[in-house]
Amino acid sequence: MDKILILDFGSQTTQLIGRRIRDLGVYTEILPGDSPLSAVLNPGGGPDTIRGVILSGSPESVYENGPAPDKIIYGCGLPLLGICYGLQRLNYDQGGAVEALSKREYGGIGVTVRREKREEGRAADRGVPSNWGLTQKFLAGFDPAAALRPAANAAAPSVSSPPPAAFHFTAWMSHGDTLTRLAPGLREYGTSDTGYPAVVIHDTKPWFGLQFHPEAAHCEQGPEILAAFVFGVCGCSAGWTMERYVEEARLSVRKKVGTNPVLLLISGGVDSTVAGALLLKTLDAGAVHLMYMDTGLMRKDETKTVKASLERLGARHLHIIHCGEEFLSALKGLEEPEAKRQVIGDLFITIQEREVARLGLPDSYVLAQGTLYTDLIESGQGVGKKARLIKSHHNVGSPLVDAKRKAGRIIEPLDRLYKDEVRRLGRVLGVDEEVVRRHPFPGPGLAVRILGEVTKEKCGILREADAIFIEELKKRPAPGAADRTLYDEIWQAFAVLLPIRSVGVAGDVRKYGWVLALRAITSADGMTAGVYPFPVKDLLEISSRITNTVTDIGRVTYDISSKPPATIEWE
Ligand code: XMP
């Protein structure tokens, strides 16, 4: 299968580059930007072939010892695409100059791209191997009239209708440094309206650079530019399909598990449920043990929904542990978020070990986890140590997981997938739509959404209010999209119970009710998030239904903070 390798120098949008290219049907892999690559690059050979390398952006500066790639990439002959810092890195490493701008270029900024006349640009005419053909294929990505097609020549300009000599479009920029002298061989094909190099291409080598972010949603021609690189320049074919993934994942699960039993810890979320479905559709259901802990910190009806959907998928050994009382008594009196997390994490491990021992599985059992690709990448700092980050507090430092990993008895069949791909996989495997489209839910559950001390009473209040909020989102159509609801438009929505009571009136009496905050965000992966811009009418109606139904809540507010600077959860 053709692959594009992405070197991550720490940009917030590296994951997005991967997502966008996978959306084109091409598999991507992300490595820390400074990884040694001699064992990874395989130009022209093998079933899994890297066809091109993308150098990501970075918050750092090349002239201040910013992270650098293994120099091997400049000699391996593979096409390179430098994005923002990636372009500055390429230019600097090849002898060009990069300096700080007096004013950052940020946001939507116009760019003019010129197609050079053939005579000027054609190095072959001067007896030098030319990059002219690939350059044309790349530049076709800037042409609004060119189709975005997954074929080797898709981005090639049509011969019968010559493309225009220049294109103007709005790019998305975020950089404080610029190229002030181009390295030998690099040529400027595009310039920002503010006068700086925006598109740079090498005359003789397949090296391309953009001083903007084609992966950003607001970048005009963004997907087309990436497609021009991936299909036109790198010649990738679109072989990344969910059916293929299922086939490969099932083979690998069978091989790793053999005849041993498997234990999967189910959280109730999309990831572990889809991992469960994959196991149940791959192995003998009698060998698949699913363990789910009801911590008492779950959403309304969560345990019921999880049980029903797993049973529909054929689960025979579903172990549901009701341990709400244990969690609530351990949390008694605790107000500090970190202290609450610590207690929940520790107790989780204690109960997990106790209950797994109670199952009496043989030592040879294999532990399965619903770890995703994004869980394995250190968020926003892909340089340096590539920590194998663990999904949630459930598993952090868990001796059980550590021991199984050491013994090589762990499988993570979703570890090459992004969240939205897991949803697609869930649909292919027949997981209930209700579960597949479910918003993410944090491991420590309602404990991070009840600020201050967690009590049974507060859990009950929050659960009811949250359920109303979610129910309303599921029945309200999204503006301008009749077949989608607000719930589908929003990446994550939930209610938060604040540790404040505020005055109100009930009949003629003054009454102090709890304050509830509603949170609804848009996001690609949870690493950054925007506020969902609700139609006011929806907010007013939802708020009024909550205060009318959950009488302990006196006031409802809407959180209008993006991430950063805020986080998604309130803790
Ligand atoms: P923050 O609050 O860090 O959340 O912006 C980012 C995303 O992660 C989820 N989250 C968690 N998920 N265990 C999890 O499995 C956790 O401990 C945890 N804390 C936050 C959060 O809901 C959001 O989707």
Side-chain angles (χ1 to χ4, degrees), residues 341 391-393 440-444 448-449 491-492 494 526 563 566-571:
R341 271 185 180 268
K391 183 158 185 52
S392 69
H393 82 287
F441 187 60
V448 295
R449 295 178 178 173
W491 195 80
Q492 191 174 15
F494 52 90
K563 172 184 178 178
T567 51
I568 295 175
E569 300 292 344
W570 278 51
E571 298 278 349

Side-chain angles (χ1 to χ4, degrees), residues 437-501:
R437 68 203 265 257
R438 204 147 205 215
H439 289 176
F441 187 60
L446 298 185
V448 295
R449 295 178 178 173
I450 293 172
L451 274 62
E453 189 184 6
V454 178
T455 62
K456 193 170 185 170
E457 184 208 0
K458 285 187 189 169
C459 286
I461 295 171
L462 179 57
R463 206 174 270 131
E464 285 307 315
D466 186 72
I468 293 172
F469 184 28
I470 299 301
E471 192 187 305
E472 288 291 329
L473 297 181
K474 284 183 176 167
K475 70 180 193 208
R476 287 166 188 264
D483 56 335
R484 287 168 64 77
T485 66
L486 285 178
Y487 188 78
D488 301 315
E489 288 289 283
I490 291 168
W491 195 80
Q492 191 174 15
F494 52 90
V496 182
L497 193 65
L498 306 189
I500 310 167
R501 289 209 210 217

Side-chain angles (χ1 to χ4, degrees), residues 3 5 40-45 49-53 72-81 134 205-208 229 233-234:
K3 272 203 277 204
L5 175 65
V40 176
L41 297 178
N42 53 350
T49 306
I50 294 176
R51 298 266 180 214
V53 181
I72 195 175
I73 59 161
Y74 298 125
C76 70
L78 283 172
L80 305 181
L81 173 64
L134 291 185
K205 299 183 177 174
W207 295 352
F208 302 82
F229 177 72
V233 173
C234 301

Side-chain angles (χ1 to χ4, degrees), residues 532-547:
Y532 184 74
F534 270 111
V536 169
K537 181 172 170 289
D538 289 310
L539 274 182
L540 298 183
E541 288 171 1
I542 292 169
S543 159
S544 127
R545 195 182 146 200
I546 290 174
T547 45

